[in-house]
Amino acid sequence: MLIRQIALPLCLLLAPLPLAAQDGPSGIAFVQAPEMSSGMALAQTPADAFAAATAECTEGGAETEDCIPTNWCQPAGFSIDLFVMHTEGLHWHEVTCGLPTEEIARATAAAICTQGARPWIADCQLVQIYDRDGQPQM
């Protein structure tokens, strides 16, 4: 009988813990439909963030199956979006997320886009920085 008296209050006390565990820092997800569209979203879980980023990607004109999940970082940190073009004309976006400061984000973009680092790249440019809340800074 004593166990029942203790067990029920203990279960009720511990029940909210899984919800509290989701109150941590948001993560950021990026999806890309090459040559068509892209999406970015913040959420508490990768599944929620990728779903929202895919919705944004399809709003931009791509089909759901073309919106490929590319990056997830938690905490989101600062993120950079680089436009990169191959010498043969193909182009894409490269995203790096989870960076601690805007200064480090800019330095990372500069390092990745260093002329000659990848001789097959004709063009590499920083097109956007997102802050920890997913807000564009450029």
Side-chain angles (χ1 to χ4, degrees):
M1 184 68 171
L2 181 60
I3 292 175
R4 284 187 190 170
Q5 290 175 340
I6 294 172
L8 181 59
L10 186 59
C11 287
L12 293 174
L13 179 66
L14 296 177
L17 288 181
L19 295 176
Q22 294 181 13
D23 288 339
S26 291
I28 192 165
F30 292 88
V31 301
Q32 189 174 160
E35 307 284 336
M36 289 183 268
S37 184
S38 62
M40 179 277 298
L42 275 80
Q44 294 298 311
T45 68
D48 290 345
F50 279 122
T54 299
E56 184 177 294
C57 182
T58 59
E59 287 171 15
E63 297 295 323
T64 301
E65 59 272 7
D66 295 325
C67 297
I68 303 163
T70 59
N71 299 75
W72 163 257
C73 289
Q74 188 174 25
F78 283 81
S79 302
I80 56 173
D81 178 359
L82 305 174
F83 169 83
V84 183
M85 185 165 58
H86 194 279
T87 55
E88 294 180 2
L90 297 170
H91 63 278
W92 60 91
H93 286 257
E94 292 180 4
V95 173
T96 302
C97 57
L99 301 166
T101 66
E102 185 173 349
E103 285 178 340
I104 290 173
R106 288 184 183 279
T108 300
I112 293 171
C113 287
T114 298
Q115 188 78 16
R118 299 182 284 179
W120 58 90
I121 300 299
D123 191 15
C124 182
Q125 297 177 30
L126 175 64
V127 293
Q128 191 56 265
I129 295 177
Y130 296 96
D131 69 12
R132 291 178 176 97
D133 298 319
Q135 296 300 309
Q137 301 300 298
M138 297 176 61

PDB file of all heavy atoms in Angstrom, residues 28-65:
ATOM      1  N   ILE A  28      18.739  24.533 -36.296  1.00  0.00           N
ATOM      2  CA  ILE A  28      18.426  25.099 -37.599  1.00  0.00           C
ATOM      3  C   ILE A  28      18.629  24.029 -38.667  1.00  0.00           C
ATOM      4  O   ILE A  28      19.569  23.249 -38.599  1.00  0.00           O
ATOM      5  CB  ILE A  28      19.285  26.354 -37.873  1.00  0.00           C
ATOM      6  CG1 ILE A  28      18.781  27.122 -39.095  1.00  0.00           C
ATOM      7  CG2 ILE A  28      20.770  26.000 -37.994  1.00  0.00           C
ATOM      8  CD1 ILE A  28      19.353  28.535 -39.210  1.00  0.00           C
ATOM      9  N   ALA A  29      17.698  23.978 -39.608  1.00  0.00           N
ATOM     10  CA  ALA A  29      17.759  23.010 -40.695  1.00  0.00           C
ATOM     11  C   ALA A  29      17.746  23.744 -42.030  1.00  0.00           C
ATOM     12  O   ALA A  29      17.070  24.767 -42.178  1.00  0.00           O
ATOM     13  CB  ALA A  29      16.576  22.053 -40.627  1.00  0.00           C
ATOM     14  N   PHE A  30      18.480  23.196 -42.978  1.00  0.00           N
ATOM     15  CA  PHE A  30      18.518  23.723 -44.336  1.00  0.00           C
ATOM     16  C   PHE A  30      18.188  22.596 -45.306  1.00  0.00           C
ATOM     17  O   PHE A  30      18.651  21.466 -45.128  1.00  0.00           O
ATOM     18  CB  PHE A  30      19.904  24.278 -44.667  1.00  0.00           C
ATOM     19  CG  PHE A  30      20.255  25.518 -43.902  1.00  0.00           C
ATOM     20  CD1 PHE A  30      20.861  25.420 -42.664  1.00  0.00           C
ATOM     21  CD2 PHE A  30      19.980  26.769 -44.412  1.00  0.00           C
ATOM     22  CE1 PHE A  30      21.192  26.561 -41.940  1.00  0.00           C
ATOM     23  CE2 PHE A  30      20.302  27.914 -43.692  1.00  0.00           C
ATOM     24  CZ  PHE A  30      20.907  27.822 -42.462  1.00  0.00           C
ATOM     25  N   VAL A  31      17.389  22.904 -46.309  1.00  0.00           N
ATOM     26  CA  VAL A  31      17.124  21.975 -47.400  1.00  0.00           C
ATOM     27  C   VAL A  31      17.413  22.707 -48.705  1.00  0.00           C
ATOM     28  O   VAL A  31      17.365  23.940 -48.767  1.00  0.00           O
ATOM     29  CB  VAL A  31      15.675  21.429 -47.396  1.00  0.00           C
ATOM     30  CG1 VAL A  31      15.365  20.704 -46.097  1.00  0.00           C
ATOM     31  CG2 VAL A  31      14.666  22.517 -47.653  1.00  0.00           C
ATOM     32  N   GLN A  32      17.686  21.928 -49.741  1.00  0.00           N
ATOM     33  CA  GLN A  32      18.021  22.524 -51.021  1.00  0.00           C
ATOM     34  C   GLN A  32      17.456  21.673 -52.151  1.00  0.00           C
ATOM     35  O   GLN A  32      17.597  20.452 -52.140  1.00  0.00           O
ATOM     36  CB  GLN A  32      19.542  22.610 -51.143  1.00  0.00           C
ATOM     37  CG  GLN A  32      20.013  23.383 -52.315  1.00  0.00           C
ATOM     38  CD  GLN A  32      21.516  23.571 -52.322  1.00  0.00           C
ATOM     39  OE1 GLN A  32      22.052  23.846 -53.368  1.00  0.00           O
ATOM     40  NE2 GLN A  32      22.211  23.422 -51.227  1.00  0.00           N
ATOM     41  N   ALA A  33      16.806  22.339 -53.082  1.00  0.00           N
ATOM     42  CA  ALA A  33      16.382  21.722 -54.339  1.00  0.00           C
ATOM     43  C   ALA A  33      17.278  22.361 -55.396  1.00  0.00           C
ATOM     44  O   ALA A  33      17.028  23.493 -55.818  1.00  0.00           O
ATOM     45  CB  ALA A  33      14.912  21.993 -54.619  1.00  0.00           C
ATOM     46  N   PRO A  34      18.346  21.674 -55.777  1.00  0.00           N
ATOM     47  CA  PRO A  34      19.335  22.274 -56.676  1.00  0.00           C
ATOM     48  C   PRO A  34      18.699  22.898 -57.919  1.00  0.00           C
ATOM     49  O   PRO A  34      17.797  22.321 -58.531  1.00  0.00           O
ATOM     50  CB  PRO A  34      20.243  21.103 -57.043  1.00  0.00           C
ATOM     51  CG  PRO A  34      20.117  20.160 -55.886  1.00  0.00           C
ATOM     52  CD  PRO A  34      18.688  20.294 -55.426  1.00  0.00           C
ATOM     53  N   GLU A  35      19.149  24.087 -58.227  1.00  0.00           N
ATOM     54  CA  GLU A  35      18.706  24.858 -59.387  1.00  0.00           C
ATOM     55  C   GLU A  35      17.238  25.299 -59.301  1.00  0.00           C
ATOM     56  O   GLU A  35      16.695  25.812 -60.258  1.00  0.00           O
ATOM     57  CB  GLU A  35      18.924  24.073 -60.687  1.00  0.00           C
ATOM     58  CG  GLU A  35      20.323  23.544 -60.897  1.00  0.00           C
ATOM     59  CD  GLU A  35      21.325  24.607 -61.334  1.00  0.00           C
ATOM     60  OE1 GLU A  35      20.905  25.637 -61.906  1.00  0.00           O
ATOM     61  OE2 GLU A  35      22.522  24.415 -61.084  1.00  0.00           O
ATOM     62  N   MET A  36      16.569  25.068 -58.116  1.00  0.00           N
ATOM     63  CA  MET A  36      15.148  25.402 -58.018  1.00  0.00           C
ATOM     64  C   MET A  36      14.814  26.287 -56.829  1.00  0.00           C
ATOM     65  O   MET A  36      14.285  27.372 -56.982  1.00  0.00           O
ATOM     66  CB  MET A  36      14.304  24.126 -57.938  1.00  0.00           C
ATOM     67  CG  MET A  36      14.250  23.339 -59.217  1.00  0.00           C
ATOM     68  SD  MET A  36      13.179  21.904 -59.050  1.00  0.00           S
ATOM     69  CE  MET A  36      14.373  20.673 -58.536  1.00  0.00           C
ATOM     70  N   SER A  37      15.069  25.791 -55.621  1.00  0.00           N
ATOM     71  CA  SER A  37      14.606  26.478 -54.422  1.00  0.00           C
ATOM     72  C   SER A  37      15.399  25.981 -53.221  1.00  0.00           C
ATOM     73  O   SER A  37      16.221  25.071 -53.328  1.00  0.00           O
ATOM     74  CB  SER A  37      13.107  26.194 -54.225  1.00  0.00           C
ATOM     75  OG  SER A  37      12.590  26.918 -53.136  1.00  0.00           O
ATOM     76  N   SER A  38      15.116  26.578 -52.074  1.00  0.00           N
ATOM     77  CA  SER A  38      15.745  26.142 -50.828  1.00  0.00           C
ATOM     78  C   SER A  38      14.836  26.534 -49.673  1.00  0.00           C
ATOM     79  O   SER A  38      13.852  27.246 -49.857  1.00  0.00           O
ATOM     80  CB  SER A  38      17.135  26.779 -50.655  1.00  0.00           C
ATOM     81  OG  SER A  38      17.017  28.188 -50.576  1.00  0.00           O
ATOM     82  N   GLY A  39      15.185  26.062 -48.485  1.00  0.00           N
ATOM     83  CA  GLY A  39      14.404  26.401 -47.309  1.00  0.00           C
ATOM     84  C   GLY A  39      15.260  26.343 -46.060  1.00  0.00           C
ATOM     85  O   GLY A  39      16.273  25.636 -46.016  1.00  0.00           O
ATOM     86  N   MET A  40      14.863  27.096 -45.054  1.00  0.00           N
ATOM     87  CA  MET A  40      15.563  27.145 -43.771  1.00  0.00           C
ATOM     88  C   MET A  40      14.506  27.294 -42.694  1.00  0.00           C
ATOM     89  O   MET A  40      13.513  28.013 -42.871  1.00  0.00           O
ATOM     90  CB  MET A  40      16.520  28.336 -43.747  1.00  0.00           C
ATOM     91  CG  MET A  40      17.290  28.524 -42.447  1.00  0.00           C
ATOM     92  SD  MET A  40      16.419  29.387 -41.124  1.00  0.00           S
ATOM     93  CE  MET A  40      16.119  30.980 -41.834  1.00  0.00           C
ATOM     94  N   ALA A  41      14.695  26.607 -41.567  1.00  0.00           N
ATOM     95  CA  ALA A  41      13.753  26.745 -40.455  1.00  0.00           C
ATOM     96  C   ALA A  41      14.433  26.386 -39.145  1.00  0.00           C
ATOM     97  O   ALA A  41      15.374  25.591 -39.115  1.00  0.00           O
ATOM     98  CB  ALA A  41      12.540  25.841 -40.669  1.00  0.00           C
ATOM     99  N   LEU A  42      13.931  26.972 -38.064  1.00  0.00           N
ATOM    100  CA  LEU A  42      14.372  26.644 -36.716  1.00  0.00           C
ATOM    101  C   LEU A  42      13.293  25.855 -36.015  1.00  0.00           C
ATOM    102  O   LEU A  42      12.107  26.112 -36.211  1.00  0.00           O
ATOM    103  CB  LEU A  42      14.652  27.918 -35.910  1.00  0.00           C
ATOM    104  CG  LEU A  42      16.038  28.520 -36.081  1.00  0.00           C
ATOM    105  CD1 LEU A  42      16.127  29.310 -37.343  1.00  0.00           C
ATOM    106  CD2 LEU A  42      16.383  29.363 -34.892  1.00  0.00           C
ATOM    107  N   ALA A  43      13.699  24.901 -35.192  1.00  0.00           N
ATOM    108  CA  ALA A  43      12.767  24.120 -34.390  1.00  0.00           C
ATOM    109  C   ALA A  43      13.553  23.392 -33.306  1.00  0.00           C
ATOM    110  O   ALA A  43      14.784  23.416 -33.289  1.00  0.00           O
ATOM    111  CB  ALA A  43      11.990  23.132 -35.251  1.00  0.00           C
ATOM    112  N   GLN A  44      12.832  22.721 -32.430  1.00  0.00           N
ATOM    113  CA  GLN A  44      13.465  21.990 -31.342  1.00  0.00           C
ATOM    114  C   GLN A  44      14.000  20.632 -31.769  1.00  0.00           C
ATOM    115  O   GLN A  44      14.887  20.097 -31.128  1.00  0.00           O
ATOM    116  CB  GLN A  44      12.474  21.801 -30.186  1.00  0.00           C
ATOM    117  CG  GLN A  44      12.081  23.101 -29.515  1.00  0.00           C
ATOM    118  CD  GLN A  44      13.272  23.801 -28.887  1.00  0.00           C
ATOM    119  OE1 GLN A  44      14.045  23.188 -28.160  1.00  0.00           O
ATOM    120  NE2 GLN A  44      13.437  25.076 -29.164  1.00  0.00           N
ATOM    121  N   THR A  45      13.449  20.069 -32.844  1.00  0.00           N
ATOM    122  CA  THR A  45      13.895  18.756 -33.302  1.00  0.00           C
ATOM    123  C   THR A  45      14.264  18.820 -34.777  1.00  0.00           C
ATOM    124  O   THR A  45      13.715  19.646 -35.529  1.00  0.00           O
ATOM    125  CB  THR A  45      12.792  17.688 -33.121  1.00  0.00           C
ATOM    126  OG1 THR A  45      11.716  17.977 -34.019  1.00  0.00           O
ATOM    127  CG2 THR A  45      12.299  17.631 -31.683  1.00  0.00           C
ATOM    128  N   PRO A  46      15.157  17.942 -35.225  1.00  0.00           N
ATOM    129  CA  PRO A  46      15.482  17.895 -36.652  1.00  0.00           C
ATOM    130  C   PRO A  46      14.243  17.626 -37.515  1.00  0.00           C
ATOM    131  O   PRO A  46      14.063  18.268 -38.554  1.00  0.00           O
ATOM    132  CB  PRO A  46      16.491  16.750 -36.760  1.00  0.00           C
ATOM    133  CG  PRO A  46      17.084  16.613 -35.403  1.00  0.00           C
ATOM    134  CD  PRO A  46      15.989  17.009 -34.446  1.00  0.00           C
ATOM    135  N   ALA A  47      13.394  16.715 -37.086  1.00  0.00           N
ATOM    136  CA  ALA A  47      12.210  16.378 -37.883  1.00  0.00           C
ATOM    137  C   ALA A  47      11.315  17.601 -38.098  1.00  0.00           C
ATOM    138  O   ALA A  47      10.869  17.867 -39.224  1.00  0.00           O
ATOM    139  CB  ALA A  47      11.424  15.249 -37.213  1.00  0.00           C
ATOM    140  N   ASP A  48      11.059  18.352 -37.030  1.00  0.00           N
ATOM    141  CA  ASP A  48      10.211  19.547 -37.149  1.00  0.00           C
ATOM    142  C   ASP A  48      10.872  20.615 -38.009  1.00  0.00           C
ATOM    143  O   ASP A  48      10.224  21.257 -38.841  1.00  0.00           O
ATOM    144  CB  ASP A  48       9.893  20.123 -35.770  1.00  0.00           C
ATOM    145  CG  ASP A  48       8.954  19.255 -34.958  1.00  0.00           C
ATOM    146  OD1 ASP A  48       8.308  18.348 -35.536  1.00  0.00           O
ATOM    147  OD2 ASP A  48       8.864  19.479 -33.734  1.00  0.00           O
ATOM    148  N   ALA A  49      12.164  20.819 -37.823  1.00  0.00           N
ATOM    149  CA  ALA A  49      12.871  21.852 -38.587  1.00  0.00           C
ATOM    150  C   ALA A  49      12.950  21.488 -40.067  1.00  0.00           C
ATOM    151  O   ALA A  49      12.719  22.341 -40.935  1.00  0.00           O
ATOM    152  CB  ALA A  49      14.265  22.070 -38.012  1.00  0.00           C
ATOM    153  N   PHE A  50      13.270  20.237 -40.376  1.00  0.00           N
ATOM    154  CA  PHE A  50      13.345  19.831 -41.784  1.00  0.00           C
ATOM    155  C   PHE A  50      11.969  19.882 -42.448  1.00  0.00           C
ATOM    156  O   PHE A  50      11.858  20.251 -43.614  1.00  0.00           O
ATOM    157  CB  PHE A  50      13.972  18.445 -41.933  1.00  0.00           C
ATOM    158  CG  PHE A  50      15.473  18.464 -41.866  1.00  0.00           C
ATOM    159  CD1 PHE A  50      16.143  17.713 -40.917  1.00  0.00           C
ATOM    160  CD2 PHE A  50      16.231  19.235 -42.740  1.00  0.00           C
ATOM    161  CE1 PHE A  50      17.528  17.724 -40.841  1.00  0.00           C
ATOM    162  CE2 PHE A  50      17.615  19.258 -42.673  1.00  0.00           C
ATOM    163  CZ  PHE A  50      18.273  18.502 -41.722  1.00  0.00           C
ATOM    164  N   ALA A  51      10.922  19.543 -41.721  1.00  0.00           N
ATOM    165  CA  ALA A  51       9.569  19.639 -42.284  1.00  0.00           C
ATOM    166  C   ALA A  51       9.230  21.089 -42.631  1.00  0.00           C
ATOM    167  O   ALA A  51       8.705  21.373 -43.716  1.00  0.00           O
ATOM    168  CB  ALA A  51       8.548  19.063 -41.309  1.00  0.00           C
ATOM    169  N   ALA A  52       9.538  22.015 -41.734  1.00  0.00           N
ATOM    170  CA  ALA A  52       9.261  23.431 -41.992  1.00  0.00           C
ATOM    171  C   ALA A  52      10.143  23.969 -43.118  1.00  0.00           C
ATOM    172  O   ALA A  52       9.683  24.748 -43.962  1.00  0.00           O
ATOM    173  CB  ALA A  52       9.464  24.242 -40.717  1.00  0.00           C
ATOM    174  N   ALA A  53      11.414  23.569 -43.152  1.00  0.00           N
ATOM    175  CA  ALA A  53      12.317  24.017 -44.218  1.00  0.00           C
ATOM    176  C   ALA A  53      11.865  23.466 -45.572  1.00  0.00           C
ATOM    177  O   ALA A  53      11.931  24.158 -46.593  1.00  0.00           O
ATOM    178  CB  ALA A  53      13.753  23.590 -43.917  1.00  0.00           C
ATOM    179  N   THR A  54      11.373  22.229 -45.587  1.00  0.00           N
ATOM    180  CA  THR A  54      10.869  21.639 -46.829  1.00  0.00           C
ATOM    181  C   THR A  54       9.622  22.375 -47.302  1.00  0.00           C
ATOM    182  O   THR A  54       9.455  22.623 -48.501  1.00  0.00           O
ATOM    183  CB  THR A  54      10.580  20.137 -46.641  1.00  0.00           C
ATOM    184  OG1 THR A  54      11.819  19.490 -46.295  1.00  0.00           O
ATOM    185  CG2 THR A  54      10.022  19.504 -47.892  1.00  0.00           C
ATOM    186  N   ALA A  55       8.756  22.760 -46.376  1.00  0.00           N
ATOM    187  CA  ALA A  55       7.562  23.538 -46.737  1.00  0.00           C
ATOM    188  C   ALA A  55       7.971  24.861 -47.386  1.00  0.00           C
ATOM    189  O   ALA A  55       7.380  25.279 -48.392  1.00  0.00           O
ATOM    190  CB  ALA A  55       6.692  23.773 -45.508  1.00  0.00           C
ATOM    191  N   GLU A  56       8.986  25.514 -46.834  1.00  0.00           N
ATOM    192  CA  GLU A  56       9.486  26.760 -47.420  1.00  0.00           C
ATOM    193  C   GLU A  56      10.061  26.510 -48.817  1.00  0.00           C
ATOM    194  O   GLU A  56       9.868  27.300 -49.733  1.00  0.00           O
ATOM    195  CB  GLU A  56      10.551  27.383 -46.512  1.00  0.00           C
ATOM    196  CG  GLU A  56      11.056  28.719 -47.006  1.00  0.00           C
ATOM    197  CD  GLU A  56      12.048  29.350 -46.046  1.00  0.00           C
ATOM    198  OE1 GLU A  56      11.644  29.708 -44.929  1.00  0.00           O
ATOM    199  OE2 GLU A  56      13.222  29.483 -46.442  1.00  0.00           O
ATOM    200  N   CYS A  57      10.761  25.411 -48.971  1.00  0.00           N
ATOM    201  CA  CYS A  57      11.351  25.042 -50.255  1.00  0.00           C
ATOM    202  C   CYS A  57      10.264  24.831 -51.315  1.00  0.00           C
ATOM    203  O   CYS A  57      10.393  25.302 -52.450  1.00  0.00           O
ATOM    204  CB  CYS A  57      12.209  23.789 -50.074  1.00  0.00           C
ATOM    205  SG  CYS A  57      13.067  23.198 -51.543  1.00  0.00           S
ATOM    206  N   THR A  58       9.188  24.144 -50.947  1.00  0.00           N
ATOM    207  CA  THR A  58       8.110  23.901 -51.911  1.00  0.00           C
ATOM    208  C   THR A  58       7.345  25.190 -52.221  1.00  0.00           C
ATOM    209  O   THR A  58       6.882  25.371 -53.348  1.00  0.00           O
ATOM    210  CB  THR A  58       7.140  22.801 -51.429  1.00  0.00           C
ATOM    211  OG1 THR A  58       6.575  23.184 -50.179  1.00  0.00           O
ATOM    212  CG2 THR A  58       7.855  21.468 -51.303  1.00  0.00           C
ATOM    213  N   GLU A  59       7.253  26.091 -51.240  1.00  0.00           N
ATOM    214  CA  GLU A  59       6.629  27.397 -51.505  1.00  0.00           C
ATOM    215  C   GLU A  59       7.435  28.170 -52.549  1.00  0.00           C
ATOM    216  O   GLU A  59       6.884  29.000 -53.270  1.00  0.00           O
ATOM    217  CB  GLU A  59       6.519  28.207 -50.217  1.00  0.00           C
ATOM    218  CG  GLU A  59       5.459  27.710 -49.261  1.00  0.00           C
ATOM    219  CD  GLU A  59       5.517  28.402 -47.911  1.00  0.00           C
ATOM    220  OE1 GLU A  59       6.180  29.455 -47.771  1.00  0.00           O
ATOM    221  OE2 GLU A  59       4.892  27.869 -46.968  1.00  0.00           O
ATOM    222  N   GLY A  60       8.737  27.877 -52.625  1.00  0.00           N
ATOM    223  CA  GLY A  60       9.599  28.526 -53.607  1.00  0.00           C
ATOM    224  C   GLY A  60       9.531  27.901 -54.986  1.00  0.00           C
ATOM    225  O   GLY A  60      10.234  28.331 -55.904  1.00  0.00           O
ATOM    226  N   GLY A  61       8.705  26.851 -55.149  1.00  0.00           N
ATOM    227  CA  GLY A  61       8.489  26.287 -56.474  1.00  0.00           C
ATOM    228  C   GLY A  61       9.009  24.878 -56.691  1.00  0.00           C
ATOM    229  O   GLY A  61       8.790  24.307 -57.754  1.00  0.00           O
ATOM    230  N   ALA A  62       9.676  24.295 -55.741  1.00  0.00           N
ATOM    231  CA  ALA A  62      10.203  22.939 -55.912  1.00  0.00           C
ATOM    232  C   ALA A  62       9.176  21.907 -55.466  1.00  0.00           C
ATOM    233  O   ALA A  62       8.267  22.209 -54.691  1.00  0.00           O
ATOM    234  CB  ALA A  62      11.486  22.773 -55.110  1.00  0.00           C
ATOM    235  N   GLU A  63       9.337  20.691 -55.949  1.00  0.00           N
ATOM    236  CA  GLU A  63       8.539  19.571 -55.471  1.00  0.00           C
ATOM    237  C   GLU A  63       9.142  19.065 -54.165  1.00  0.00           C
ATOM    238  O   GLU A  63      10.349  19.160 -53.961  1.00  0.00           O
ATOM    239  CB  GLU A  63       8.520  18.442 -56.506  1.00  0.00           C
ATOM    240  CG  GLU A  63       7.873  18.829 -57.827  1.00  0.00           C
ATOM    241  CD  GLU A  63       6.391  19.134 -57.681  1.00  0.00           C
ATOM    242  OE1 GLU A  63       5.709  18.454 -56.886  1.00  0.00           O
ATOM    243  OE2 GLU A  63       5.913  20.056 -58.370  1.00  0.00           O
ATOM    244  N   THR A  64       8.315  18.509 -53.301  1.00  0.00           N
ATOM    245  CA  THR A  64       8.780  18.022 -52.000  1.00  0.00           C
ATOM    246  C   THR A  64       9.955  17.068 -52.150  1.00  0.00           C
ATOM    247  O   THR A  64      10.949  17.168 -51.423  1.00  0.00           O
ATOM    248  CB  THR A  64       7.629  17.323 -51.242  1.00  0.00           C
ATOM    249  OG1 THR A  64       6.579  18.272 -51.070  1.00  0.00           O
ATOM    250  CG2 THR A  64       8.082  16.812 -49.894  1.00  0.00           C
ATOM    251  N   GLU A  65       9.873  16.132 -53.100  1.00  0.00           N
ATOM    252  CA  GLU A  65      10.943  15.141 -53.263  1.00  0.00           C
ATOM    253  C   GLU A  65      12.252  15.747 -53.769  1.00  0.00           C
ATOM    254  O   GLU A  65      13.307  15.122 -53.658  1.00  0.00           O
ATOM    255  CB  GLU A  65      10.497  13.990 -54.179  1.00  0.00           C
ATOM    256  CG  GLU A  65      10.075  14.407 -55.567  1.00  0.00           C
ATOM    257  CD  GLU A  65       8.597  14.782 -55.685  1.00  0.00           C
ATOM    258  OE1 GLU A  65       7.887  14.853 -54.674  1.00  0.00           O
ATOM    259  OE2 GLU A  65       8.170  15.030 -56.825  1.00  0.00           O
TER     260      GLU A  65
END
